[in-house]
Amino acid sequence: LRIYINEKQKMFLTFAATTYANVTSGFIADNTKLLSKSNKAISTEKDVLKSQRRKLTLCLRRVNPETEIEKSTWFHLCLNMQTSMNYSLQRINEVCKEHVENNFRRLPERFREPLDEISARIVSVITDSAAAIEESRPEVIDTLRARCEEIKNRLTAMSRDAYGYVSTGDQANLTVMYVYLNLVQESQEFVTALRKLLRASGKLNLAPSQYRSFTHPA
């Protein structure tokens, strides 16, 4: 069951990495086609996650009661965080897609490179997380979670920079800057959910005797 769950988590994270890259690229390049493609993928994944939750819950009920009780919290937290990440992707994509379809103002040049850079970092940590979960390597969870925290700090700095620009920059860029701020703030929620998913997955893969050596802060 653990191997099966890990495989499903890896599949979701692979989807999340690809979709996040497509959404940010579509926004930066004003690519409506890419954003529409992402919208369909996110909607499909929502149904996939619902189906998987039902199947995996039934599977969990077939293991011995002690294991079910012990792992139930982490099992459901993993599923909840996957759903949360998918909702973040949906909220980012909807706003970006609406803007690109209805406005001609592109994101100012000074914000494109930082967004491209942070997008690459987010995609990288998701990809590495998928590999760690597939290989059942809870010992690397701390490192991956630390990378998530560094990314969140960088996103906070990007938000401050954007707010400063909204206050003093070209007023014609207000609409696109609000879209950009939504993307940055939802990305923080996206990475926070990934961080919690990693913690829950690590707990799910540990034997009871390993718990003392695996004590993450919330």
Side-chain angles (χ1 to χ4, degrees):
L1 176 59
R2 186 174 63 231
I3 293 170
Y4 181 68
I5 292 173
N6 288 349
E7 176 63 22
K8 295 303 179 184
Q9 289 179 358
K10 183 208 76 170
M11 290 171 63
F12 170 76
L13 290 175
T14 300
F15 153 81
T18 301
T19 304
Y20 186 84
N22 287 344
V23 171
T24 52
S25 296
F27 175 57
I28 293 171
D30 273 3
N31 189 329
T32 306
K33 183 177 180 180
L34 195 54
L35 293 170
S36 296
K37 177 182 177 182
S38 298
N39 188 59
K40 293 178 182 178
I42 293 166
S43 179
T44 299
E45 189 65 20
K46 180 180 178 181
D47 293 334
V48 170
L49 290 174
K50 286 182 178 179
S51 176
Q52 285 183 3
R53 179 184 286 272
R54 289 193 295 268
K55 293 177 182 177
L56 290 171
T57 301
L58 288 173
C59 290
L60 184 65
R61 290 174 181 171
R62 292 182 175 271
V63 303
N64 67 72
E66 292 80 6
T67 300
E68 180 183 358
I69 293 171
E70 173 194 320
K71 299 295 186 181
S72 181
T73 297
W74 310 117
F75 169 81
H76 287 290
L77 184 57
C78 284
L79 296 175
N80 290 344
M81 290 307 101
Q82 290 178 74
T83 300
S84 178
M85 290 175 71
N86 199 56
Y87 276 130
S88 289
L89 287 171
Q90 181 179 341
R91 289 190 291 266
I92 294 170
N93 191 72
E94 284 178 348
V95 176
C96 290
K97 182 173 178 288
E98 181 180 359
H99 174 78
V100 171
E101 288 177 342
N102 297 290
N103 295 273
F104 298 102
R105 181 73 62 167
R106 292 189 64 185
L107 184 68
E109 183 66 34
R110 61 173 283 189
F111 294 102
R112 294 179 201 167
E113 185 175 344
L115 179 56
D116 192 49
E117 181 268 338
I118 200 66
S119 174
R121 288 179 63 183
I122 291 173
V123 169
S124 176
V125 76
I126 297 172
T127 302
D128 291 347
S129 297
I133 288 174
E134 180 186 23
E135 297 165 7
S136 189
R137 297 171 59 205
E139 73 277 2
V140 304
I141 297 297
D142 281 336
T143 300
L144 292 167
R145 280 166 51 86
R147 287 170 61 187
C148 289
E149 194 63 28
E150 291 171 1
I151 289 170
K152 287 172 60 182
N153 292 337
R154 174 59 182 149
L155 288 166
T156 298
M158 291 169 65
S159 292
R160 287 197 298 264
D161 187 31
Y163 278 119
Y165 181 87
V166 167
S167 301
T168 61
D170 186 350
Q171 296 301 299
N173 288 323
L174 276 181
T175 300
V176 71
M177 287 307 300
Y178 286 135
V179 175
Y180 173 76
L181 277 167
N182 173 77
L183 192 159
V184 171
Q185 291 166 352
E186 284 293 347
S187 293
Q188 287 182 302
E189 296 301 316
F190 182 72
V191 174
T192 297
L194 173 62
R195 192 170 183 270
K196 291 180 180 179
L197 171 62
L198 286 166
R199 178 173 183 262
S201 180
K203 291 282 191 178
L204 196 61
N205 280 282
L206 288 177
S209 61
Q210 296 175 286
Y211 278 1
R212 288 188 178 181
S213 62
F214 190 79
T215 54
H216 298 303

